[in-house]
Amino acid sequence: MSILVAAGLMVVFCFSFVLLFGAPYLPTLKHQQQQAIGMLGLNKGDTLLELGCGDGRMLVTAAKLGINSVGYELNPIVFGLAVITTFKYRKNIKLIYGNFWHKKLPPAQGVYVFLHSRFMHKLDIKMSQQYDKTSTRLVSYAFAIPGKKHIKKQNALYLYEY
Ligand SMILES: C[S@@+](CC[C@H](N)C(=O)[O-])C[C@H]1O[C@@H](n2cnc3c(N)ncnc32)[C@H](O)[C@@H]1O
């Protein structure tokens, strides 16, 4: 019984500590993933970054289109799910365990996020710092970046350029 309680507490911990650094796990629906990839204008051979990649389903959608991707995930349970989900497409998908705020982001043509309003300003700063010499597009699901003009809005998806 105590093992079950400990396991339950561990699961609760994994899903709640992430709230300090970003949004909790909630996946983007398939048609919204496809819309986001379309807005990012990604083509075969391009690279997509997903900051907080959840169970990796967006990365799989991209891989099926020949797009390479890098996904960051902090929740260890969800990261484990992503490893399983993306296994078949592991040549195109690189998964990185950890807090993306502390990572130097690699060059990419597109970035996708589904975070929370309270992190959008911080994201704007990180994107501006990391992609000051390149042209990189960002799609944010549900949350706009305060003070930055989006170049397109389609349903709940906001498109930005850095
Ligand atoms: C709302 S979910 C979106 C999942 C996925 N991007 C999708 O749209 O299907 C946010 C994900 O980001 C992860 N996350 C939040 N903050 C993070 C951080 N600072 N570093 C890495 N992952 C983070 C959460 O664990 C969660 O899986």
Side-chain angles (χ1 to χ4, degrees):
M1 187 63 179
S2 57
I3 290 180
L4 279 182
V5 172
L9 287 174
M10 187 60 87
V11 170
V12 171
F13 175 75
C14 287
F15 280 82
S16 47
F17 90 99
V18 172
L19 296 176
L20 297 171
F21 309 103
Y25 172 60
L26 190 63
T28 301
L29 299 177
K30 180 106 180 171
H31 71 278
Q32 292 162 330
Q33 294 168 12
Q34 288 162 340
Q35 231 169 41
I37 290 170
M39 284 170 82
L40 288 168
L42 297 174
N43 296 308
K44 206 170 169 171
D46 284 347
T47 298
L48 167 73
L49 294 194
E50 192 175 13
L51 307 181
C53 66
D55 61 10
R57 58 183 77 188
M58 173 77 161
L59 308 179
V60 169
T61 299
K64 286 180 179 167
L65 297 169
I67 297 162
N68 300 314
S69 59
V70 182
Y72 298 86
E73 179 53 52
L74 187 56
N75 178 329
I77 296 173
V78 177
F79 181 81
L81 280 178
V83 171
I84 296 166
T85 310
T86 59
F87 187 76
K88 189 172 162 194
Y89 300 94
R90 61 193 179 282
K91 280 190 186 147
N92 295 87
I93 298 173
K94 182 174 176 188
L95 291 175
I96 298 177
Y97 177 76
N99 185 342
F100 64 75
W101 296 119
H102 298 154
K103 309 278 184 193
K104 182 170 171 16
L105 304 179
Q109 285 72 37
V111 178
Y112 179 71
V113 295
F114 177 10
L115 293 174
H116 188 276
S117 55
R118 69 184 195 279
F119 295 100
M120 299 313 287
H121 176 61
K122 188 175 178 182
L123 177 68
D124 187 31
I125 295 170
K126 185 162 181 78
M127 287 292 298
S128 303
Q129 287 170 346
Q130 305 262 287
Y131 297 113
D132 60 340
K133 292 188 184 70
T134 55
S135 171
T136 298
R137 291 182 147 205
L138 167 85
V139 165
S140 168
Y141 180 71
F143 301 105
I145 293 177
K148 186 169 173 75
K149 198 168 163 31
H150 55 262
I151 52 177
K152 188 173 177 183
K153 180 175 187 295
Q154 206 174 330
N155 302 320
L157 299 166
Y158 296 85
L159 175 67
Y160 298 93
E161 181 130 1
Y162 284 88

